[in-house]
Amino acid sequence: MPYTVGQRVEYHSERLDKWLETSVTDAQDEQVQLELKPGAWVPVDHIRYPKGTHIQVELNGVWVSCNVLFTEDDGKVQIGLWYDPKEQASKFQQAEPVADHEIPAFTPEDQASVMQTVHKVELEALEDDFAVGEEVQYFSKRKKEYFDTTVTVAPRPGDRKVQVALKPGVWIATQELKKKVAANLTGTFLVDAPVPNVPDTPSDTALSSSGKVQVLMCAPIYGWNPQWGPHDFREGKDAFRGLVRSAGIPDSNVTELLERHCHRDGVLGAIKKVGSTCGPNDTFLFYYTGHGDTMPDQDGDEDDGQDEAMCTPDRMGNINQGTYLRDDDFANCIVACVKAKHIIVIVDACHSGTICDMSKRQLWHGRSAISISGCKDNQISHGTGRGGLVTLSMVKTAQTLSSAKGACSAGRFFNQLRNEVHAMKQTIATAGPQTLTLCTPGGCDANDIPWPLIA
């Protein structure tokens, strides 16, 4: 079966002597044109299906679904048997895309709109950060150190430059300045540490919320691909859904994306749809159970050079770094599309500690938000056979705090969750350390966010 336009493949570069991921831009008989080689016809024996690709293979006249398990340097791939590049071109075809979900998938136009909103949000935060009289530190390239100064001329509309007392008349890019941030505006990043200053008896009125809770649950489960699943993701999803019901949240307020519907653009589309229906007093709650991974940082915002990502498939069921939902895109979509008063993100997955990038002060400027992740960015999250460790610990925590229903803060819930996670870890086999994490953006206190999931 010939390759099809848009299909992801790997091309062998003889000059570099390595396989490079690309896509097909044109195809005929036994040659294709590639995004990496515009205008050049490439023989099919120079391309192969990438590892993890969900395909159909022709066996005795019948198309059978399977997955590419392994690849070799000579272009052969294994789906059980080994197939060389010419055999792949004749016997393989892309799997059928998953049918459209009732929620429209995210589009390039949606992405452009999100980035416009993010740009506006960041500029507004920038204007607040660098208003006239604000204390900042200026980095002198000549002396290679920072000097205290104050802003004398604020940013112009749409610009990211200011003037400071140390350099009168000179416009300086804000990237060359450090905002002297008050301690309460730096945000929270807790690694296996309790939320401080949690009241023993929180006030009902202080945590009451007149709005609704809108829940988006995402679980790829990977039932079509034995290399990736199913593990206990379905059991974890079911346990969390039971928790949502026991908390009194009606089914009409819950949206689920499962299996191949939980592809990258499906998740972003659902965030847009559910987030846009939230009212000014509502709470938006996002939950993900599935694989997590790291990938090379694309914009220089990560200290460790790695972005975090959810291992989402594409519509055809392929799973690789090209199909993952990257933390930058996830956070941008939530900030731009969710109109709720409070935002709660729960990710029970490996490498998920900073999945929301809440340390980006200008992105999350003024938002009441919290993320709870199963582990640090460099760790894995463990399953129990009945669901993820953190998911099941949340169910137990909700039961333990049942008397606090309607008066429980996110901070109080997290502190009890730490205890339950530590206790449950003693009952399962683990392959390494797993450290519960909590993040909030600058100016947001976890004790001020009502926690809706109490049984």
Side-chain angles (χ1 to χ4, degrees):
M1 173 66 70
Y3 288 96
T4 57
V5 173
Q7 183 174 344
R8 300 300 294 178
V9 296
E10 289 180 336
Y11 159 72
H12 185 261
S13 168
E14 294 183 356
R15 182 175 64 85
L16 299 176
D17 192 25
K18 63 188 297 186
W19 291 90
L20 306 172
E21 188 170 341
T22 184
S23 61
V24 176
T25 57
D26 199 358
Q28 62 179 31
D29 299 327
E30 295 192 355
Q31 54 185 359
V32 298
Q33 291 191 15
L34 303 172
E35 187 178 26
L36 279 178
K37 303 278 288 184
W41 287 101
V42 177
V44 294
D45 58 3
H46 281 60
I47 61 175
R48 70 180 183 190
Y49 280 73
K51 180 179 178 180
T53 304
H54 186 52
I55 65 166
Q56 292 181 319
V57 60
E58 185 181 17
L59 298 174
N60 300 320
V62 178
W63 290 100
V64 179
S65 293
C66 57
N67 303 280
V68 175
L69 303 177
F70 301 102
T71 59
E72 292 285 352
D73 289 341
D74 61 3
K76 289 182 180 179
V77 303
Q78 186 188 44
I79 60 171
L81 299 175
W82 288 95
Y83 290 81
D84 64 33
K86 283 194 173 183
E87 290 174 319
Q88 294 170 50
S90 63
K91 295 180 180 293
F92 290 7
Q93 69 177 14
Q94 279 200 118
E96 290 294 319
V98 66
D100 286 339
H101 194 271
E102 60 186 18
I103 296 176
F106 209 63
T107 66
E109 291 75 21
D110 291 330
Q111 176 66 16
S113 176
V114 162
M115 295 314 297
Q116 287 179 352
T117 302
V118 166
H119 183 68
K120 180 180 178 183
V121 167
E122 291 182 335
L123 282 178
E124 290 174 351
L126 188 72
E127 291 172 3
D128 287 346
D129 276 354
F130 295 98
V132 173
E134 288 290 329
E135 295 183 350
V136 296
Q137 290 183 313
Y138 165 71
F139 183 74
S140 169
K141 295 179 180 177
R142 183 170 62 85
K143 295 188 176 181
K144 296 184 172 21
E145 61 179 305
Y146 281 98
F147 293 91
D148 291 344
T149 185
T150 56
V151 176
T152 55
V153 181
R156 295 167 294 192
D159 197 2
R160 294 176 182 262
K161 295 181 178 180
V162 299
Q163 293 186 26
V164 298
L166 275 179
K167 303 282 286 186
V170 178
W171 289 100
I172 298 172
T174 54
Q175 294 94 318
E176 298 178 41
L177 302 173
K178 284 172 63 175
K179 165 78 172 175
K180 297 182 73 173
V181 182
N184 67 324
L185 295 180
T186 58
T188 304
F189 179 54
L190 297 178
V191 180
D192 198 27
V195 174
N197 306 318
V198 175
D200 293 331
T201 54
S203 165
D204 287 354
T205 56
L207 292 171
S208 61
S209 175
S210 59
K212 299 178 293 185
V213 180
Q214 300 285 358
V215 180
L216 173 57
M217 297 178 54
C218 298
I221 300 174
Y222 315 104
W224 71 95
N225 190 325
Q227 270 196 311
W228 285 79
H231 297 285
D232 57 358
F233 298 130
R234 186 178 297 278
E235 291 80 0
K237 183 274 299 182
D238 290 343
F240 192 83
R241 183 62 189 267
L243 172 57
V244 170
R245 286 198 176 107
S246 67
I249 299 171
D251 288 351
S252 58
N253 288 15
V254 180
T255 300
E256 287 188 356
L257 286 182
L258 307 177
E259 293 281 359
R260 285 201 287 155
H261 286 297
C262 192
H263 56 84
R264 174 188 177 279
D265 292 336
V267 175
L268 294 176
I271 291 172
K272 177 190 174 188
K273 175 68 180 296
V274 177
S276 65
T277 64
C278 293
N281 293 315
D282 291 349
T283 295
F284 172 82
L285 193 155
F286 177 92
Y287 169 79
Y288 173 87
T289 181
H291 289 300
D293 203 353
T294 58
M295 54 198 305
D297 179 20
Q298 66 175 358
D299 59 5
D301 67 331
E302 300 281 355
D303 291 338
D304 61 359
Q306 296 289 312
D307 277 336
E308 292 66 53
M310 301 175 204
C311 298
T312 52
D314 64 13
R315 289 172 175 270
M316 273 66 72
N318 304 318
I319 315 170
N320 52 59
Q321 290 199 347
T323 73
Y324 290 176
L325 175 51
R326 189 186 292 265
D327 56 358
D328 300 307
D329 298 325
F330 177 59
N332 287 343
C333 188
I334 289 180
V335 169
C337 298
V338 176
K339 309 303 180 187
K341 180 177 182 179
H342 303 294
I343 296 170
I344 297 172
V345 175
I346 302 166
V347 177
D348 195 353
C350 302
H351 309 292
S352 57
T354 60
I355 193 70
C356 289
D357 279 344
M358 286 189 177
S359 61
K360 294 181 177 179
R361 292 187 57 254
Q362 291 169 1
L363 176 64
W364 287 93
H365 178 69
R367 302 306 293 263
S368 172
I370 185 172
S371 72
I372 295 177
S373 301
C375 63
K376 294 162 59 177
D377 290 343
N378 62 351
Q379 294 179 336
I380 62 173
S381 287
H382 294 88
T384 66
R386 296 172 291 121
L389 169 64
V390 171
T391 297
L392 293 194
S393 297
M394 280 194 167
V395 174
K396 184 68 169 66
T397 301
Q399 296 166 348
T400 301
L401 295 176
S402 59
S403 62
K405 195 166 188 174
C408 184
S409 69
R412 186 180 182 190
F413 186 89
F414 180 80
N415 287 355
Q416 181 61 38
L417 177 62
R418 287 181 65 248
N419 298 334
E420 303 295 350
V421 167
H422 281 294
M424 193 171 291
K425 276 198 290 191
Q426 307 307 311
T427 68
I428 64 171
T430 58
Q434 177 177 350
T435 310
L436 190 68
T437 65
L438 174 148
C439 298
T440 64
C444 177
D445 187 338
N447 294 317
D448 295 333
I449 298 177
W451 188 263
L453 299 179
I454 299 295

